[in-house]
Amino acid sequence: LGAVGCETFAVTGREEVLMLSHRIPYPPDKGDKIRSWRILKHLSERYAVHLGCFIDTPEDRQWCDTVKEVCATTKFVTLRPNMAKARSLSAIATGAPQSLAYYSSHDMRHYVTKVRERALAFECVFSTPKAQYIAKPENGRTRIVDLCDADSAKWAQYADETPGLKAMLFRREAATLMRYERDVVEWADAAIAISRAEAAVLDGGSGKAVWFGNGVDTDFFDPGLPFDSSAPALSGADRPAEIVFIGAMDYKPNVDAAVWFAEKCWPQIRAAAPGAQFAIVGANPVHSVRALQERDGVIVTGRVHDVRPFLADAKVAIAPLRIARGVQNKVLEAMAMALPVVASEGAIEGLDIDAGTDCIVARNADSFTDAVLTALRDEEKARALGAHARRKVMRDYSWAGQLARFDGIIRRARTRGANA
């Protein structure tokens, strides 16, 4: 691990906060970055924020200056995947979760130690692996950990879908990480999840974990904006795709979902609607996703600057996730764009939305196929479902409302600490 930078500025007039994240919280183009960037921006409006985070892809270095603009000090540490993986394997001998070893860094610990010497109002950590840096209490200071998703449950799902030795390693990680998550819930002044369902998993039903959800910028994701016809040009297709799936295409749950839909549903949809096109939109598509372009009507775009033109041009968005935790931003963003969404049960588990009213829930390949074809054929029904979906997001999933919940969590945690 090598330090990229640590800039120090004079801090006057505001309370100071330490924030840690497992990944640079910019650009907000994927689930964890959307949430961590919103938290950072929100905190920076009231506090002088000292931010420590990792950079795990070379292209993210370009965003360091953008992040520095909202922080008092920053520490960016380059995460080298091969070294991190070797470290994670060494954790097997100690009985610790591999995820913690993966994100272990001397440079980061040094930065955290120096910042913790300051008179901080509280400490705020985003993601379970970064909790290790504030596990030891500092002068009774309030410690807030946003675990977000139950990562242990995700690893258990991976194990169920993976054969051989990898399944054994995944089950081990699920068990050790679950114990660690429960420990964090016990010692943190506030242990936060992204949804009520995730909170129940993280605290084992004890009720000690709290939650606030993700929001959507409905001014940005607005179907009424004048999008040019850029989606076909970006995708290389000769016209817009009617069906769209959006997500980071090197993330196992998204890869699994895209391949499953292409294999189990797309042949029947294409046979019933010969001209239909299906766009898989997202950065870093792995080989199994790129290979889907060999199928008639399937488009794999890779990274795009803006997903909204694809959503604006589509007739239906899908979220066929079989491995899913937390809140699926792809579902909320499609709903905000007034698109009908066909989703698996897991894809909406963390959302307070009604199946059939806010979106369509499909439980197997046949029902997924039928629901997508219905959305393509019955345009009036699709428009009505999409309009209702946007109203739902505007009413219940604004960032202002979700961050107000976050403020309440901070306030109560600090009050308990002051009275302890």
Side-chain angles (χ1 to χ4, degrees):
L1 294 171
V4 175
C6 177
E7 303 295 334
T8 304
F9 305 95
V11 178
T12 59
R14 293 195 293 173
E15 291 184 298
E16 300 176 39
V17 169
L18 170 66
M19 178 175 169
L20 302 174
S21 177
H22 71 303
R23 183 176 287 127
I24 184 172
Y26 200 87
D29 57 359
K30 56 193 302 184
D32 63 288
K33 289 190 174 189
I34 291 170
R35 185 173 175 91
S36 58
W37 175 246
R38 286 286 179 167
I39 291 173
L40 174 60
K41 284 279 287 181
H42 187 65
L43 291 176
S44 70
E45 292 170 0
R46 306 182 186 190
Y47 306 96
V49 181
H50 303 276
L51 174 72
C53 62
F54 290 100
I55 295 179
D56 59 0
T57 58
E59 56 266 25
D60 276 351
R61 290 175 182 271
Q62 66 184 299
W63 306 114
C64 291
D65 287 344
T66 300
V67 173
K68 288 178 184 179
E69 290 177 2
V70 299
C71 298
T73 70
T74 55
K75 182 69 170 183
F76 304 105
V77 176
T78 300
L79 187 69
R80 296 188 172 89
N82 289 339
M83 294 175 63
K85 288 176 182 176
R87 255 195 330 274
S88 69
L89 288 174
S90 71
I92 295 175
T94 69
Q98 291 177 252
S99 301
L100 270 63
Y102 191 93
Y103 288 100
S104 179
S105 160
H106 173 76
D107 287 339
M108 187 64 71
R109 290 187 189 281
H110 179 72
Y111 174 72
V112 171
T113 298
K114 298 301 291 184
V115 173
R116 294 184 97 193
E117 292 173 355
R118 303 180 67 87
L120 303 177
F122 59 90
E123 299 166 349
C124 181
V125 169
F126 179 81
S127 83
T128 302
K130 291 305 289 281
Q132 62 185 299
Y133 292 96
I134 64 166
K136 182 179 178 181
E138 182 71 27
N139 298 324
R141 185 181 296 140
T142 299
R143 294 174 293 171
I144 296 168
V145 181
D146 184 4
L147 298 105
C148 197
D149 302 337
D151 284 343
S152 59
K154 176 190 68 178
W155 286 108
Q157 289 179 316
Y158 285 178
D160 290 341
E161 299 293 329
T162 306
L165 178 60
K166 275 191 175 181
M168 294 175 59
L169 291 174
F170 291 166
R171 288 193 182 92
R172 178 198 174 277
E173 183 67 2
T176 57
L177 200 54
M178 182 181 69
R179 290 194 293 271
Y180 186 76
E181 289 166 346
R182 302 280 170 84
D183 285 344
V184 173
V185 171
E186 287 296 322
W187 61 251
D189 296 289
I192 306 172
I194 199 170
S195 69
R196 184 180 288 108
E198 293 297 295
V201 174
L202 286 165
D203 65 18
S206 70
K208 291 185 176 181
V210 293
W211 68 275
F212 81 92
N214 276 11
V216 179
D217 184 347
T218 53
D219 291 332
F220 183 79
F221 287 97
D222 181 353
L225 293 176
F227 297 104
D228 58 23
S229 186
S230 57
L234 286 168
S235 69
D238 57 3
R239 61 182 179 75
E242 294 90 342
I243 304 161
V244 63
F245 176 51
I246 290 175
M249 287 304 154
D250 56 353
Y251 181 50
K252 183 177 177 64
N254 289 338
V255 172
D256 175 82
V259 172
W260 176 85
F261 181 82
E263 292 180 348
K264 302 296 183 181
C265 305
W266 184 242
Q268 290 74 28
I269 293 171
R270 181 75 171 178
Q277 295 196 88
F278 167 40
I280 302 170
V281 182
N284 306 318
V286 299
H287 174 75
S288 60
V289 174
R290 295 196 305 272
L292 298 177
Q293 294 180 104
E294 298 175 6
R295 295 172 179 265
D296 288 343
V298 177
I299 305 152
V300 179
T301 70
R303 183 182 295 274
V304 298
H305 176 68
D306 190 349
V307 301
R308 293 174 300 167
F310 291 89
L311 293 169
D313 286 338
K315 293 183 178 179
V316 57
I318 62 167
L321 283 90
R322 301 189 299 167
I323 305 169
R325 301 301 326 162
V327 168
Q328 298 300 321
N329 294 284
K330 60 176 66 69
V331 172
L332 291 177
E333 290 168 358
M335 290 174 63
M337 289 292 288
L339 259 185
V341 178
V342 181
S344 63
E345 290 179 299
I348 67 163
E349 185 178 5
L351 299 171
D352 183 21
I353 59 179
D354 295 325
T357 304
D358 301 321
C359 74
I360 302 169
V361 175
R363 293 172 174 80
N364 54 45
D366 288 342
S367 60
F368 232 102
T369 299
D370 291 343
V372 170
L373 286 172
T374 298
L376 294 179
R377 292 165 173 165
D378 194 335
E379 294 187 6
E380 183 177 351
K381 182 177 179 180
R383 280 195 300 270
L385 182 62
H388 191 282
R390 177 166 171 82
R391 289 194 296 271
K392 172 70 174 181
V393 170
M394 294 181 71
R395 183 177 68 247
D396 295 343
Y397 285 96
S398 71
W399 271 113
Q402 297 302 328
L403 289 170
R405 289 180 61 90
F406 180 51
D407 286 338
I409 291 169
I410 295 173
R411 186 170 55 251
R412 289 188 293 273
R414 295 187 69 184
T415 300
R416 283 195 299 270
N419 294 333

